[in-house]
Amino acid sequence: MSLVKSISGIRGTIGGRVGEGLNPVDIVRFTAAYATQCRAALPNNNTIVVGRDARLSGQMVEQIVCGTLMGMGYDVVNIGLATTPTTELAVTGEKAAGGIILTASHNPKQWNALKLLNEQGEFLNDAEGKEVLAIAEREDFSFAEVDNLGHMTTKDYLPYHVEQVLKLTLVDVEAIRKRNFTVAIDCVNSVGGLAIPAILKAVGVKNIIELNCTPNGRFPHNPEPLPQHLTEISDLLKSGKADVGFVVDPDVDRLAIICENGEMFGEEYTLVSVADYILRHTPGNTVSNMSSTRALSDVTHAHGGEYSASAVGEVNVVAEMKRVHAVIGGEGNGGVIYPECHYGRDALVGIALFLSHLAHLDMKVSELRRSLPDYCISKNRIDLTPDTDVDAILARVKDLYKNERVNDRDGVKIDFADGWVHLRKSNTEPIIRVYSEAATMEAANALAQKVMAVI
């Protein structure tokens, strides 16, 4: 059994002894700690939103979380089966003190998690997250007396989410409707099965081929939207039955795209293609994390904007986007963040903008992919012993490559003329992750091996 505590919340495998897995006792403890932190930050706001994906453990976790919040004196707006971005929008829609998303994202069925939001519907920052962990460790919370218990109401926020997407100026429903796209989707039997058909119909798509759209939490394949897990929808596209395929993870904040010929568009290129569309109409700055493709920088500079790289993690991307007033940003895992809607990765926004872009260009998806700068990313790791001084190794690498462009905001990233290498230490195991990118996979692997040999 596993239990992982971090600034963004708590996640673990269901069951086990207290402190060893995600079980009712630990769920109560961390929910109460979060409520205590909310009370200190916003003492006059008595509302918290709760939403969940369709995991098998979701209902159990939902009932414990909602009951605990009520026991802490909070009124709960339970939006039930909902995507992560829907829950984020519900927090601001309700003017709540915060929100809890019950999802383990792309992790397998035995996992679940409590992801914690602030009053802006954004993930807690480092200081806020650490405070929740400290409160939970001390068990420094007090439950409400009987006359001060909270109450629960239930609402469906999906229509509101769809409405917000349709309000976006660059979502062109008329252009999409005229193209009469046939769209195939794989929603891994989670909440995307509710949300993705809804947004497609709303933006004018009449022909939808649904795969795995029953929100019962029984994932038909590994739920992380990587090429090796997407053979079913890829084969469907190869047969010529659809113009484009969309795949989401269980909480619908990541978007993978399949070309009309069954080839992978590439998760890294979800953000790049959407950014290309946004920048054509609203020039400005962009942000992605340091492990994402250089293609976004190329596209941004081609449109006259400036590109910035943040530390890995959505909260870091959002902070950097606000700092540089970015018009679009996100992460290379298919996460699109469009501030015009909200500061959170949102596959519904990504789909609506991508289809608008595709409709305006009058291209096939594979042709759109070929129009973008082309790079290959290699992902490697170096296994170390538990007593290895990883920080000393990274400092030495930084010194050895001091004549190159080096960024040490999050590990060490070395930018060469023909590619880059990013080294980050894991927070949970004695390894260094080594990501590299170049024009070909052979060149990317060679860059990684060059730096790994030094280590």
Side-chain angles (χ1 to χ4, degrees):
M1 295 295 176
S2 299
L3 185 66
V4 181
K5 309 164 194 173
S6 70
I7 62 168
S8 61
I10 173 177
R11 65 184 173 93
T13 51
I14 295 297
R17 299 179 63 84
V18 175
E20 295 179 358
L22 191 62
N23 54 72
V25 174
D26 284 310
I27 293 169
V28 169
R29 187 157 60 97
F30 282 92
T31 302
Y34 169 70
T36 300
Q37 192 268 348
C38 287
R39 186 73 73 198
L42 295 167
N44 297 318
N45 191 322
N46 210 46
T47 302
I48 291 178
V49 173
V50 176
R52 69 176 177 93
D53 70 15
R55 288 174 181 274
L56 299 175
S57 60
Q59 188 176 34
M60 179 271 288
V61 178
E62 174 190 76
Q63 291 185 5
I64 295 170
V65 166
C66 291
T68 302
L69 291 172
M70 292 161 64
M72 292 294 293
Y74 272 97
D75 293 330
V76 177
V77 178
N78 183 355
I79 64 171
L81 290 172
T83 75
T84 282
T86 304
T87 310
E88 292 168 348
L89 284 167
V91 170
T92 53
E94 292 292 326
K95 297 181 174 59
I100 302 179
I101 307 166
L102 310 178
T103 176
S105 191
H106 61 271
N107 290 110
K109 66 177 183 179
Q110 65 268 31
W111 289 82
N112 211 328
L114 280 63
K115 293 188 176 182
L116 310 177
L117 304 174
N118 63 20
E119 75 280 7
Q120 295 174 303
E122 300 166 14
F123 289 110
L124 302 187
N125 62 32
D126 183 72
E128 293 165 338
K130 286 178 177 175
E131 177 61 16
V132 171
L133 295 179
I135 294 169
E137 186 68 27
R138 300 192 305 264
E139 296 191 353
D140 185 16
F141 36 77
S142 178
F143 293 94
E145 296 182 2
V146 67
D147 290 329
N148 297 318
L149 294 174
H151 301 87
M152 184 169 68
T153 56
T154 59
K155 292 186 180 182
D156 178 9
Y157 252 88
L158 178 57
Y160 176 81
H161 188 175
V162 171
E163 179 187 349
Q164 297 309 302
V165 176
L166 292 179
K167 285 181 179 179
L168 298 174
T169 303
L170 292 182
V171 172
D172 193 336
V173 174
E174 188 58 32
I176 295 170
R177 184 179 290 117
K178 285 181 179 178
R179 283 294 301 274
N180 195 30
F181 292 120
T182 296
V183 177
I185 57 175
D186 181 348
C187 299
V188 74
N189 285 341
S190 190
V191 291
L194 302 173
I196 303 307
I199 192 62
L200 287 173
K201 292 171 185 175
V203 298
V205 176
K206 298 178 182 177
N207 311 309
I208 305 171
I209 302 173
E210 298 184 6
L211 301 177
N212 309 313
C213 286
T214 304
N216 58 19
R218 301 189 182 280
F219 305 146
H221 53 75
N222 186 306
E224 187 167 14
L226 299 177
Q228 59 268 34
H229 307 148
L230 307 181
T231 55
E232 182 182 11
I233 191 170
S234 177
D235 288 343
L236 188 150
L237 268 293
K238 287 176 184 176
S239 70
K241 294 180 180 177
D243 300 299
V244 62
F246 294 123
V247 184
V248 293
D249 62 342
D251 67 326
V252 198
D253 60 357
R254 292 172 60 175
L255 173 64
I257 301 170
I258 318 293
C259 299
E260 81 289 342
N261 55 13
E263 294 179 358
M264 298 295 135
F265 193 80
E267 261 197 312
E268 289 284 337
Y269 283 84
T270 298
L271 172 59
V272 177
S273 59
V274 171
D276 182 41
Y277 176 56
I278 299 301
L279 294 169
R280 288 170 186 242
H281 298 275
T282 52
N285 300 329
T286 67
V287 173
S288 63
N289 70 44
M290 292 166 59
S291 283
S292 297
T293 180
R294 183 181 279 185
L296 180 61
S297 175
D298 292 352
V299 167
T300 304
H301 291 144
H303 288 293
E306 293 296 324
Y307 166 79
S308 297
S310 77
V312 174
E314 182 174 326
V315 66
N316 299 315
V317 174
V318 168
E320 184 68 9
M321 288 179 69
K322 291 179 177 180
R323 189 185 74 82
V324 301
H325 306 291
V327 295
I328 184 74
E331 298 186 283
N333 59 8
V336 174
I337 302 174
Y338 189 40
E340 192 73 19
C341 189
H342 67 118
Y343 277 105
R345 295 182 302 176
D346 191 330
L348 278 71
V349 169
I351 285 171
L353 292 173
F354 182 85
L355 287 176
S356 298
H357 189 27
L358 190 64
H360 284 186
L361 292 176
D362 195 22
M363 286 182 175
K364 294 180 179 179
V365 179
S366 60
E367 293 170 338
L368 171 54
R369 175 64 181 84
R370 287 195 296 271
S371 74
L372 300 168
D374 196 23
Y375 295 101
C376 297
I377 289 183
S378 174
K379 298 182 179 181
N380 301 276
R381 56 186 273 173
I382 300 173
D383 293 283
L384 307 167
T385 60
D387 57 347
T388 302
D389 189 341
V390 179
D391 290 329
I393 291 175
L394 295 179
R396 179 63 176 147
V397 171
K398 177 185 173 184
D399 183 62
L400 286 171
Y401 289 97
K402 61 186 176 184
N403 293 327
E404 305 289 345
R405 285 188 298 154
V406 177
N407 186 332
D408 63 354
R409 183 182 298 183
D410 183 13
V412 175
K413 183 173 183 179
I414 310 157
D415 265 299
F416 301 99
D418 55 352
W420 54 261
V421 178
H422 186 201
L423 300 92
R424 294 178 68 239
K425 69 176 182 179
S426 169
N427 293 323
T428 58
E429 51 187 331
I431 65 171
I432 295 176
R433 302 191 188 280
V434 183
Y435 288 11
S436 57
E437 182 178 66
T440 66
M441 187 57 74
E442 291 77 12
N445 286 328
L447 275 179
Q449 291 302 322
K450 175 182 176 182
V451 176
M452 291 167 69
V454 170
I455 294 176

